[in-house]
Amino acid sequence: MERSSIWVIRPLRFVTIVYSLHSKSGDCAALLRKGMRMRRVALLLVVAVVVLAMAGGVALAVNRTCLGAVGAGGTLAPDCVGTRAADTLTAGDDNLHNIVGMEGNDIITGGGVSDNIYGDEGNDSITDNENSPDLDFIWGDEGNDIIRVREGNGVGDTVNCGPGASDKVFFDRGVDTIRSNCEIRNPG
């Protein structure tokens, strides 16, 4: 019986298989089937790691209490910035706030002092209706946002809903300035 050696070298995978067999034994086909199974298992593991890494982004959403921030020269600096996931951002003190939700369906709550709130992408819920005399600027931006600025304090807020198709705004009639891009208006 003649012995032959088959050398399979895969330099990209850093795998070298050296297999010695008899020419009539048929073990070569079994070896190739085993190699295909190993490739399938490796591919399945890679796909599982990628799926877990992508799903991990959801876990990166924040639930944050925002503290007011004033930058150099008295300019308002962002004191609270969300993530690409669905965040909960809440004004937590009596300072001016500049809150940015970023992407995701965020829940943003302003404080009792003047706030600048920017929802950004996503179907955001923005509330700034504490009964205190503050002047708020709210931008919903993309998505179908729900914005609540009905305070009943006689001080006008400004709301720009953005390009969403069915943004809702709850506001003080005759006091607040509501842009025409707020499709559903609920004055109080």
Side-chain angles (χ1 to χ4, degrees):
M1 284 195 173
E2 208 175 295
R3 292 183 66 94
S4 63
S5 294
I6 296 177
W7 297 75
V8 180
I9 300 174
R10 296 185 182 129
L12 293 178
R13 292 185 179 95
F14 301 101
V15 174
T16 303
I17 299 173
V18 179
Y19 191 75
S20 185
L21 56 97
H22 288 60
S23 61
K24 297 182 181 181
S25 68
D27 288 340
C28 184
L31 176 65
L32 292 175
R33 281 193 303 275
K34 183 177 180 180
M36 291 298 291
R37 283 193 304 266
M38 292 299 290
R39 277 188 239 144
R40 286 183 190 144
V41 169
L43 179 62
L44 181 63
L45 288 174
V46 168
V47 169
V49 167
V50 169
V51 168
L52 287 174
M54 291 174 64
V58 174
L60 298 178
V62 295
N63 184 351
R64 181 175 296 153
T65 300
C66 309
L67 303 176
V70 178
T75 60
L76 190 63
D79 61 302
C80 212
V81 178
T83 66
R84 292 181 175 202
D87 305 309
T88 300
L89 306 172
T90 306
D93 58 11
D94 288 334
N95 291 315
L96 298 173
H97 291 91
N98 191 12
I99 302 172
V100 180
M102 300 295 284
E103 299 167 3
N105 299 334
D106 303 313
I107 299 171
I108 304 172
T109 306
V113 181
S114 298
D115 299 312
N116 292 316
I117 298 175
Y118 181 69
D120 205 2
E121 296 177 23
N123 299 327
D124 303 315
S125 175
I126 301 172
T127 304
D128 195 23
N129 58 4
E130 290 190 15
N131 191 12
S132 59
D134 63 342
L135 181 62
D136 303 309
F137 294 94
I138 312 292
W139 293 271
D141 206 14
E142 295 180 29
N144 298 320
D145 305 311
I146 299 173
I147 300 172
R148 295 174 182 86
V149 292
R150 191 181 297 159
E151 298 169 318
N153 59 18
V155 178
D157 299 316
T158 301
V159 177
N160 182 340
C161 291
S166 60
D167 297 306
K168 293 181 187 177
V169 62
F170 299 85
F171 64 99
D172 295 313
R173 181 191 317 263
V175 177
D176 295 328
T177 302
I178 308 301
R179 296 283 306 264
S180 62
N181 58 8
C182 297
E183 292 82 17
I184 303 169
R185 297 162 178 246
N186 297 290

